[in-house]
Amino acid sequence: MAGQSRKWMILVATIWIQAFTGTNFDFSAYSSEFKAVLGVSQVQLNYLATASDLGKALGWSSGLALMYLPLWMVMFLAAAMGLIGYGVQWLVITNIIALPYFVVFLLCLLAGCSICWFNTVCFVLCIKNFPCTRPLALALTVSFNGVSAALYNLAAKSLNPSSTSLYLLLNAFIPLFTSIAAVIPILRQPPVDPLPHDAVKHEQLTFLKLNLLAVITGLYLLFLHSSNISTARFLFAGAIFLLILPLGIPGIIYARDWFKRTIYSSFQFEGSAFMLVNADDLELHKELLSRENSVANGLIYTANNEDSIQGMSRQNTGASEGCSCDTIIGKDRLVMLGEEHKAKMLVSRIDFWLYYLAYFCGGTIGLVYSNNLGQIAQSLGQSPMTSRLITMYSSFSFFGRLISATPDFIRKKFYFARTGWLVIALLPTPIAFFLLAATGTEMALQAGTALIGLSSGFIFAAAVSITSELFGPNSVGVNHNILITNIPVGSLVYGFLAATFYDSKAESRPGFMTDSLVCMGRKCYFLTFVWWGCISILGLASSLMLFLRTRLAYDRFERNRLSTVLV
């Protein structure tokens, strides 16, 4: 039982790490001042945002480091990279030192790489300590990464509301302090023992309660905000309290164990049929841990079944020869979930490229939007709203990440393929961009930001599960890193598109911070929003095609899972 309480301590530590290491989400808070200090164009500023995202493409380096270094050391190396990357940028933006543009680009790259290393540490902790409820642990902890910008916004306002450079200083030191706070639970990891069925049900119920607490935290950060220093300090203290509150879980576990050993064991309930929780109501998605587990869950078929599946596939394809759309849907489609795909096999799959395109035109374009929030608000004359917009995007991204776990909780009452949920998640993005193109009002800006944050947050959190289900759980580390190469590519392409339109409309304004080019009015981002809206429709169409191609595999998996449960 002591081991059980220690692993919940690790979960809380992982939540802290994720909550304070999503430092790339507050870039738009200081981007306008950074642009002015460096005296660069919007295109050059976009390259700095791309450098931060490019660090995610180096995620494989953290896995390599884990092969030779202990987990706690990898965590502190990530903190050191962030300290150097953001700390030196703070020295630049405050004019303490002057550095060439290329060196600043490398600093942004280093800072982005630190985020990826922190994420790897969190993934390893969740996978190792919660093998039976891994999807729930990952979904919960990854969700808190989306709320980082809102926390940093509160922290900055509680210290100096007028300073935007303060964000860089906080980005440098807070992850380091968080690592120090988290190191003791990480060093005291318990041995992983198989859990009985009742213990797994208790874990699932605990995760449900933690998700409810997470919703309260998100609502707190979304609706409670103030520019007054005293009030902001009080609100920031309240946010920290909500993050510390889950520490009560280990104490509850100890109390429950004591009650069972001293009180409950003195009574006999032989023959009692009482159950606290109905197992059917808490049956959650069973993660595909290995090919052997896939066999148990009915995912991998015998030779006879495989022949019948291939026959079904040929029959479906033959029946649709006259329809080119059905032919496209049926060609080389996945017939079962959980089949392992090596990198070479992965890139030859049509389903992978549909998935890649959906992510590229959906979640990534939302991330680029958040990077440009500072300039968007400035161009519409809403600069005082920048911090509010950052908080709104962060909070709704957080809710989107939490909602991504909904399919697992409602599985018994309503089953729908996870790729179908991806289609639904992408719907708000084109609506938001066309709304922003149609009107530049404050209400439209807030509504569009909320919709984009909700959509992109869901995609970021659901991507790991979708990759695991479609292309195999054992290869998910490599395959997911291949998938997220779209982030730096999208950051470069979409950011360059926006910056080009912006600079073409910009004018020199000597009295506006510096002599840098500044664009004011709806004209600055009108064409950008139209283009982004059209591109997101392409992503929506790609996700719909992916759903149509994979729904039979998901339906077959669910039928076999239910038959396994009933046996």
Short mmCIF file of all heavy atoms in Angstrom, two decimals, residues 75 100 106 113 132 205 225 260 313 373 389 403 436 463 493 502 515 557:
data_model
loop_
_atom_site.label_atom_id
_atom_site.label_comp_id
_atom_site.label_asym_id
_atom_site.label_seq_id
_atom_site.Cartn_x
_atom_site.Cartn_y
_atom_site.Cartn_z
N MET A 75 15.52 14.90 -16.52
CA MET A 75 14.63 15.99 -16.14
C MET A 75 15.42 17.26 -15.85
O MET A 75 15.04 18.37 -16.31
CB MET A 75 13.80 15.59 -14.92
CG MET A 75 12.86 16.68 -14.43
SD MET A 75 11.89 16.18 -12.99
CE MET A 75 13.19 16.04 -11.74
N PRO A 100 23.52 38.26 -32.03
CA PRO A 100 23.07 38.16 -33.42
C PRO A 100 21.77 37.36 -33.52
O PRO A 100 21.46 36.54 -32.65
CB PRO A 100 24.22 37.42 -34.12
CG PRO A 100 25.38 37.54 -33.21
CD PRO A 100 24.84 37.65 -31.83
N LEU A 106 18.98 29.93 -32.23
CA LEU A 106 19.46 28.71 -31.57
C LEU A 106 18.96 28.63 -30.13
O LEU A 106 18.66 27.53 -29.63
CB LEU A 106 20.99 28.66 -31.60
CG LEU A 106 21.64 28.50 -32.98
CD1 LEU A 106 23.16 28.49 -32.85
CD2 LEU A 106 21.17 27.20 -33.65
N CYS A 113 13.46 22.40 -27.34
CA CYS A 113 13.92 21.03 -27.08
C CYS A 113 13.70 20.65 -25.61
O CYS A 113 13.38 19.50 -25.30
CB CYS A 113 15.40 20.91 -27.44
SG CYS A 113 16.01 19.22 -27.51
N CYS A 132 -1.96 -0.38 -16.03
CA CYS A 132 -3.35 -0.81 -16.26
C CYS A 132 -4.27 0.35 -16.64
O CYS A 132 -5.34 0.14 -17.22
CB CYS A 132 -3.90 -1.50 -15.02
SG CYS A 132 -3.04 -3.02 -14.58
N LEU A 205 -11.67 4.90 -10.73
CA LEU A 205 -12.53 5.82 -10.00
C LEU A 205 -11.75 7.03 -9.52
O LEU A 205 -12.23 8.17 -9.57
CB LEU A 205 -13.17 5.10 -8.81
CG LEU A 205 -14.18 5.92 -7.98
CD1 LEU A 205 -15.32 6.40 -8.85
CD2 LEU A 205 -14.69 5.09 -6.81
N HIS A 225 -9.63 36.29 -13.09
CA HIS A 225 -8.42 36.97 -13.51
C HIS A 225 -8.52 38.44 -13.14
O HIS A 225 -9.62 38.99 -13.00
CB HIS A 225 -8.21 36.82 -15.02
CG HIS A 225 -9.40 37.20 -15.83
ND1 HIS A 225 -9.65 38.49 -16.25
CD2 HIS A 225 -10.45 36.46 -16.29
CE1 HIS A 225 -10.78 38.53 -16.94
NE2 HIS A 225 -11.29 37.31 -16.98
N LYS A 260 -9.23 -0.74 6.52
CA LYS A 260 -9.45 -2.14 6.16
C LYS A 260 -8.76 -3.09 7.14
O LYS A 260 -9.29 -4.14 7.49
CB LYS A 260 -8.92 -2.41 4.74
CG LYS A 260 -9.83 -1.84 3.65
CD LYS A 260 -9.29 -2.22 2.27
CE LYS A 260 -10.23 -1.72 1.18
NZ LYS A 260 -9.72 -2.08 -0.17
N SER A 313 -12.52 -7.86 -47.36
CA SER A 313 -11.93 -6.66 -47.96
C SER A 313 -12.03 -6.70 -49.47
O SER A 313 -12.37 -5.71 -50.12
CB SER A 313 -10.46 -6.53 -47.52
OG SER A 313 -9.88 -5.40 -48.09
N LEU A 373 -0.93 35.36 -31.66
CA LEU A 373 -1.98 36.09 -30.93
C LEU A 373 -1.56 37.51 -30.58
O LEU A 373 -2.38 38.44 -30.61
CB LEU A 373 -2.36 35.33 -29.66
CG LEU A 373 -3.57 34.40 -29.75
CD1 LEU A 373 -3.79 33.67 -28.43
CD2 LEU A 373 -4.82 35.18 -30.13
N LEU A 389 -6.43 36.86 -23.95
CA LEU A 389 -6.56 35.91 -25.06
C LEU A 389 -5.67 34.70 -24.86
O LEU A 389 -6.05 33.57 -25.17
CB LEU A 389 -6.23 36.60 -26.38
CG LEU A 389 -7.22 37.66 -26.88
CD1 LEU A 389 -6.67 38.39 -28.09
CD2 LEU A 389 -8.57 37.02 -27.21
N ILE A 403 -11.32 16.65 -22.61
CA ILE A 403 -12.42 16.03 -23.35
C ILE A 403 -11.95 14.84 -24.17
O ILE A 403 -12.72 13.92 -24.44
CB ILE A 403 -13.10 17.09 -24.25
CG1 ILE A 403 -13.81 18.14 -23.39
CG2 ILE A 403 -14.12 16.45 -25.20
CD1 ILE A 403 -14.33 19.32 -24.18
N LEU A 436 -13.34 34.90 -37.73
CA LEU A 436 -12.33 35.94 -37.55
C LEU A 436 -12.13 36.76 -38.82
O LEU A 436 -11.88 37.96 -38.77
CB LEU A 436 -11.00 35.31 -37.13
CG LEU A 436 -10.95 34.71 -35.72
CD1 LEU A 436 -9.71 33.87 -35.52
CD2 LEU A 436 -11.01 35.83 -34.67
N ALA A 463 -3.81 12.35 -30.00
CA ALA A 463 -2.92 11.83 -31.05
C ALA A 463 -2.15 10.58 -30.62
O ALA A 463 -1.98 9.65 -31.41
CB ALA A 463 -1.95 12.93 -31.48
N VAL A 493 5.52 26.99 -42.51
CA VAL A 493 4.68 27.30 -43.67
C VAL A 493 3.57 28.28 -43.31
O VAL A 493 3.40 29.34 -43.94
CB VAL A 493 4.08 26.01 -44.27
CG1 VAL A 493 3.09 26.34 -45.38
CG2 VAL A 493 5.20 25.12 -44.82
N TYR A 502 1.21 39.99 -43.54
CA TYR A 502 1.34 41.06 -42.54
C TYR A 502 2.32 42.13 -43.03
O TYR A 502 2.02 43.33 -43.01
CB TYR A 502 1.80 40.46 -41.21
CG TYR A 502 1.95 41.45 -40.08
CD1 TYR A 502 0.92 41.66 -39.17
CD2 TYR A 502 3.13 42.18 -39.91
CE1 TYR A 502 1.05 42.56 -38.12
CE2 TYR A 502 3.27 43.09 -38.87
CZ TYR A 502 2.23 43.27 -37.99
OH TYR A 502 2.37 44.17 -36.95
N ASP A 515 11.23 51.64 -34.53
CA ASP A 515 11.02 51.95 -35.94
C ASP A 515 10.66 50.72 -36.76
O ASP A 515 10.73 50.75 -37.98
CB ASP A 515 12.29 52.59 -36.52
CG ASP A 515 12.55 53.96 -35.91
OD1 ASP A 515 11.58 54.55 -35.41
OD2 ASP A 515 13.71 54.41 -35.94
N PHE A 557 -12.90 -4.36 -33.70
CA PHE A 557 -12.21 -4.40 -32.42
C PHE A 557 -13.20 -4.37 -31.26
O PHE A 557 -13.09 -5.12 -30.29
CB PHE A 557 -11.24 -3.22 -32.32
CG PHE A 557 -10.80 -2.92 -30.92
CD1 PHE A 557 -9.98 -3.80 -30.24
CD2 PHE A 557 -11.19 -1.76 -30.27
CE1 PHE A 557 -9.57 -3.53 -28.94
CE2 PHE A 557 -10.80 -1.49 -28.99
CZ PHE A 557 -9.98 -2.38 -28.32
#
